[in-house]
Amino acid sequence: EIARGLQIKPRSARQLHDAVTLYRRARSLVPPGFALLAARIQAREGTAHQALPDGGVQALLDAQDCYEQARADLAAHGLPEETAELDMNLGLVSQTLVGAHRGRIQDAISHYHRALKVFTTEAWPREFSILHNNLAIAYLSIPATDERARMREALAVQSFEEVLQLLTLVDHPSEYAMTQNNLGNALQYAPSSHPVANLLRAIEAYDEALKVRTARDMPVEYANTVANKANALLNLPDDPQHPTLGN
């Protein structure tokens, strides 16, 4: 419990390191026969490793190891949502490790799909939207080197659209704007037999994002979305009804 308290609002990286130490001490005190308790503590230790701002790749590998060791007992004895949360974290760790060439994006996608069996849109809308956002980004990160690239890009667009059915401009402004921006990028850069229609939809998505991402309130995000919109406008033909007549 002390470790959880340190982890909720850490004032420094040191407190997260202390939380890891306390979780390990707690695990060493678990009596024989309490496999679920040990698994829950180990899963929490994984979240502490994952949150370390100065841990680098090794902290992510430690988190992954904790999650993988805890998963079997959590799945056998714990609540379904506990295992689903662990799968969501495993997916995020795997996805982050891809950038360091220590993970596979296919593993991240598998973890996310496993979590979605529990985190449905009706019962867990927040987790559902996070998972679909992560899934879409994962699909788009796979190099377009095979015939399935178009299908993955279509799945990414579908995932962003699924999320936007749950988010509203009024109730979830930041998440709404981020997802609209990501949807615009997916529409703009995905190969399509209807490129002009996709560009027009992308511009609409960027305009929705810019309702939240203003120059005053979110200057970096505003600049990012404006740059994305500029790229879409640059590639839009003069007459969308006759795209071959010039740009």
Side-chain angles (χ1 to χ4, degrees):
E1 291 302 315
I2 296 171
R4 286 171 63 94
L6 289 173
Q7 199 178 347
I8 291 172
K9 284 189 177 180
R11 284 179 247 161
S12 65
R14 179 71 260 161
Q15 290 193 324
L16 288 171
H17 285 285
D18 290 343
V20 169
T21 301
L22 287 167
Y23 283 130
R24 288 175 174 169
R25 188 178 302 172
R27 264 199 298 138
S28 73
L29 297 171
V30 174
F34 286 78
L36 177 57
L37 178 58
R40 283 172 171 163
I41 294 170
Q42 191 157 28
R44 290 299 308 172
E45 181 189 329
T47 63
H49 284 296
Q50 191 175 349
L52 283 170
D54 58 350
V57 171
Q58 188 56 52
L60 293 172
L61 292 171
D62 290 339
Q64 186 178 58
D65 189 50
C66 284
Y67 295 142
E68 288 174 345
Q69 288 185 44
R71 194 182 190 285
D73 284 326
L74 268 185
H77 308 294
L79 300 171
E81 53 266 32
E82 290 181 301
T83 309
E85 182 184 9
L86 186 145
D87 283 326
M88 185 162 67
N89 286 331
L90 258 175
L92 189 55
V93 167
S94 298
Q95 192 169 354
T96 308
L97 284 170
V98 170
H101 308 290
R102 300 294 296 273
R104 297 187 335 128
I105 198 64
Q106 291 81 2
D107 291 338
I109 291 170
S110 296
H111 293 312
Y112 292 143
H113 277 296
R114 207 155 51 182
L116 279 168
K117 292 178 181 177
V118 176
F119 288 146
T120 61
T121 179
E122 297 85 6
W124 301 89
R126 179 179 175 276
E127 288 75 8
F128 179 88
S129 64
I130 292 170
L131 282 164
H132 268 288
N133 248 316
N134 291 350
L135 255 180
I137 293 167
Y139 285 134
L140 292 173
S141 70
I142 300 175
T145 56
D146 58 36
E147 66 279 1
R148 291 177 295 178
R150 183 166 293 186
M151 182 186 72
R152 289 195 298 268
E153 283 147 355
L155 286 171
V157 170
Q158 182 182 345
S159 285
F160 287 132
E161 289 175 338
E162 290 264 9
V163 175
L164 286 168
Q165 291 181 22
L166 300 173
L167 302 177
T168 66
L169 178 63
V170 174
D171 295 331
H172 318 91
S174 296
E175 295 87 349
Y176 177 85
M178 178 187 71
T179 306
Q180 289 284 10
N181 181 74
N182 290 342
L183 173 62
N185 290 343
L187 288 165
Q188 179 172 186
Y189 298 113
S192 170
S193 54
H194 308 286
V196 175
N198 272 14
L199 283 172
L200 291 170
R201 284 178 65 202
I203 291 167
E204 288 177 3
Y206 294 136
D207 284 339
E208 285 298 308
L210 288 169
K211 292 177 181 177
V212 178
R213 295 183 164 190
T214 64
R216 185 192 65 186
D217 296 332
M218 305 176 75
V220 174
E221 292 83 357
Y222 168 83
N224 177 268
T225 301
V226 166
N228 292 335
K229 182 181 176 181
N231 285 331
L233 291 168
L234 183 68
N235 293 305
L236 198 64
D238 295 328
D239 183 354
Q241 301 301 318
H242 302 91
T244 58
L245 295 183
N247 181 343

